[in-house]
Amino acid sequence: MGIRTGHVLAGKGRTGAVARVAASTHSELTVEMKRVNATWAGVHGRLRRWSLLALAAGMAACAGRQGGAGPATDDGADLPPGLRMRTLDRKVRPGITVLLDDSVKLIAGKRVALVTNQTGVDERGRRTVDLLFSDPRAQQASVKLVRLFAPEHGALGTEDREGLGDERDARTGLTVHSLYQRTTMAPPDSLLHDVDVLVVDLQDIGTRTWTYVGVVLYAMQAGERRGIPVLVLDRPNPLSGAFTEGALLDSSLANAEYPTGTNRTNGFAVYPSPLRHGLTMGELARLFQANLKMGTRLSVIPMRNWRRRMWFDDTELPWVRPSPNMPNLTSALLYPALVPFEASNVSVGRGTEQPFQRIGAPWLRADTLARLLEDLTLTGVRFRAERFTPDQPGDNKYPGRNIPGIRLEVTDRERVQPARIGAALLWALNRVHGDSLRLTLPGFDLRMGSARVREALLAGRDPDAVLDRLLPQVVAFEKDARRYHLYR
């Protein structure tokens, strides 16, 4: 089972009033009480609103002391003198907005290097690149954007191949230096020699295997090597921050070392966390800083108004494809289930309109496999036999061939457990197609997280029992991770 984290903070505003009525006669007291009662009936609603606003303002001040609150809108004209204050802007604002509204002093007068891509936008869809380059708030603070870096898939997020070259950003004229060749790389020392601060603004998808997490770690390491402060502009975990599940990456597979010519890293297997970690990018950076004992001068610029129970579509922020094969939130949710099969001869739907929502292969007996998976009665998901044709898939699996497959349909996202789906798929595929299924090692283990889990499932062990034995590790991780939470 998965571990549900996240807490809902419920508070009550309480307004107390003390009235002294000086009356020399009973009739005077009666008249005064009637006046008080009539007045109370008219102002009761307003007093209640004032108390809630006071509570909200207190919460905002508390969040501000933690670096997470930003400016609010001025909407307090009808408040009593003691409570005239700005009410909260309740919309979710990403880290770039909070930086420019509240914390621009951190980059004032600095030469800035920015690691970002197409996902680096504010709530209005404006690019972080443009905001740091020409927004009046940045210009007034004398911010100078001097260097750009892009991770896997390039600056526009459209590339699905290795060996990405440098690009030129049309609006700023700056070169966008690629951090992805055969694997993910760190910003090189030679391009940081004249940089005062390194800023990272990338969208995570809540899964351990996402290479942008590696980029954040490597940027922190590069900053530490050069003595440059690193700012991580936080963004939502699209899958919410309320669930933690799946196998922890085995410590023998994790490699958090700084990537060099002799130390081959991959960028997606960097830390022993569960497959679905339940953290934001900024929280992961804080965890890396502490648990890897890093000396990076790290600052995380939190979002405003995000809560752990929020899924991405609750935020009203624009969904920008984090990669060519991540078209929507459903693909992001099922990605943890299917990503291990990237290292297999099973298609995960690349080259179709529903990548990471289906699997397929020419040898698949789809009806038999669908019935077997349905018999497991996994919560929040159904399995349906189908056929699909990958069109120029980035993984080159079965291009142009109409192949049998299984479509995964999410019926309840609050109950679905993608890690258990992945385990069930491996168990079922091996049971029905043990003679045809091929796994690439160690790639499969690096994604699923554990050779022992793979071996147990291929030996026919019950998928639920296999994952249940991992629960103590998942609970221990979640308990430790709470220390780095920035949101309730």
Side-chain angles (χ1 to χ4, degrees), residues 301-343:
I301 309 301
M303 294 170 283
R304 186 185 308 148
N305 299 326
W306 189 76
R307 297 292 179 264
R308 307 205 76 81
R309 300 288 311 172
M310 285 183 171
W311 293 73
F312 194 90
D313 53 10
D314 294 324
T315 69
E316 300 184 17
L317 294 174
W319 174 267
V320 180
R321 284 189 181 216
S323 79
N325 292 286
M326 204 56 59
N328 51 45
L329 185 56
T330 302
S331 288
L333 175 57
L334 292 173
Y335 175 78
L338 300 192
V339 68
F341 295 94
E342 296 265 59

Side-chain angles (χ1 to χ4, degrees), residues 88-110:
L88 286 173
D89 174 3
R90 291 174 176 80
K91 292 186 178 296
V92 174
R93 304 299 187 208
I96 179 57
T97 298
V98 177
L99 173 68
L100 293 177
D101 282 349
D102 289 354
S103 304
V104 73
K105 62 183 181 293
L106 293 174
I107 56 174
K110 306 291 187 184

Side-chain angles (χ1 to χ4, degrees), residues 10 25 69 83 103 142 152 177 187 208-209 280 289 303 311 340 343 466:
T25 65
L83 288 178
S103 304
S142 300
E152 183 183 5
H177 300 278
R208 167 175 30 81
T209 58
T280 68
Q289 172 88 344
M303 294 170 283
W311 293 73
V466 171

Side-chain angles (χ1 to χ4, degrees), residues 185-209:
M185 306 183 302
D189 290 348
S190 61
L191 294 176
L192 298 177
H193 65 91
D194 59 346
V195 168
D196 299 318
V197 59
L198 183 57
V199 177
V200 183
D201 190 7
L202 294 168
Q203 178 64 61
D204 186 31
I205 61 166
T207 301
R208 167 175 30 81
T209 58

Side-chain angles (χ1 to χ4, degrees), residues 6 9 43 48 56 80 90 100 131 200 231 233 287 324 332 352 357 442 483:
L9 176 65
V43 303
R48 183 178 181 184
R90 291 174 176 80
L100 293 177
L131 292 170
V200 183
L231 270 64
L233 308 183
L287 181 148
T352 75
Q357 298 181 41
R483 297 187 294 158

Side-chain angles (χ1 to χ4, degrees), residues 166-359:
D166 295 344
E167 308 169 61
R168 181 165 297 277
D169 182 70
R171 295 186 188 174
T172 65
L174 293 171
T175 298
V176 183
H177 300 278
S178 173
L179 298 181
Y180 191 73
Q181 295 300 317
R182 290 188 63 189
T183 61
T184 296
M185 306 183 302
D189 290 348
S190 61
L191 294 176
L192 298 177
H193 65 91
D194 59 346
V195 168
D196 299 318
V197 59
L198 183 57
V199 177
V200 183
D201 190 7
L202 294 168
Q203 178 64 61
D204 186 31
I205 61 166
T207 301
R208 167 175 30 81
T209 58
W210 200 238
T211 59
Y212 300 172
V213 173
V215 171
V216 170
L217 173 62
Y218 300 156
M220 292 171 61
Q221 292 171 333
E224 182 179 11
R225 286 164 58 93
R226 298 288 308 178
I228 301 171
V230 176
L231 270 64
V232 175
L233 308 183
D234 213 7
R235 294 191 169 275
N237 182 325
L239 310 184
S240 86
F243 302 95
T244 305
E245 62 157 329
L248 270 71
L249 179 64
D250 192 283
S251 58
S252 66
L253 299 173
N255 184 356
E257 295 182 17
Y258 185 76
T260 65
T262 57
N263 175 33
R264 296 299 302 276
T265 59
N266 54 44
F268 66 84
V270 297
Y271 187 85
S273 62
L275 186 57
R276 187 177 175 188
H277 51 67
L279 300 173
T280 68
M281 195 74 93
E283 292 171 336
L284 281 168
R286 283 161 51 89
L287 181 148
F288 293 156
Q289 172 88 344
N291 290 358
L292 297 177
K293 297 179 171 54
M294 301 177 66
T296 309
R297 293 155 60 192
L298 174 69
S299 296
V300 174
I301 309 301
M303 294 170 283
R304 186 185 308 148
N305 299 326
W306 189 76
R307 297 292 179 264
R308 307 205 76 81
R309 300 288 311 172
M310 285 183 171
W311 293 73
F312 194 90
D313 53 10
D314 294 324
T315 69
E316 300 184 17
L317 294 174
W319 174 267
V320 180
R321 284 189 181 216
S323 79
N325 292 286
M326 204 56 59
N328 51 45
L329 185 56
T330 302
S331 288
L333 175 57
L334 292 173
Y335 175 78
L338 300 192
V339 68
F341 295 94
E342 296 265 59
S344 77
N345 60 344
V346 175
S347 168
V348 294
R350 287 178 179 267
T352 75
E353 294 182 354
Q354 292 86 28
F356 295 105
Q357 298 181 41
R358 51 172 38 133
I359 62 168

